Amino acid sequence: SIIEYFTERKIKGSYFYAAMNNKTIKVISGDNLIKIASRNNTTVTDIVNLNKLKSKRLAIGQKIILPGT
């Protein structure tokens, strides 16, 4: 099945890989992409690309997906 295919191969960049390995956070007051990236051992570029952000401005309460390992 397609699920077995992606589970066995763990193809980074695939939607299935992301759903299984990434975590989601909620933006709180004072957060920005640099702080979030630093706290979570990732980069601003990775967060922007993963979330397909058109702007680097965040809103309180916004959900952001963080790259998994």
Side-chain angles (χ1 to χ4, degrees), residues 32-47:
N32 62 51
L33 288 173
I34 295 170
K35 287 181 183 179
I36 292 170
S38 177
R39 280 196 313 254
N40 292 282
N41 197 28
T42 189
T43 66
V44 170
T45 301
D46 285 345
I47 295 172

Side-chain angles (χ1 to χ4, degrees), residues 12-25:
K12 287 189 176 185
S14 71
Y15 177 80
F16 189 79
Y17 182 88
M20 298 299 292
N21 293 289
N22 296 335
K23 72 177 184 176
T24 302
I25 62 157

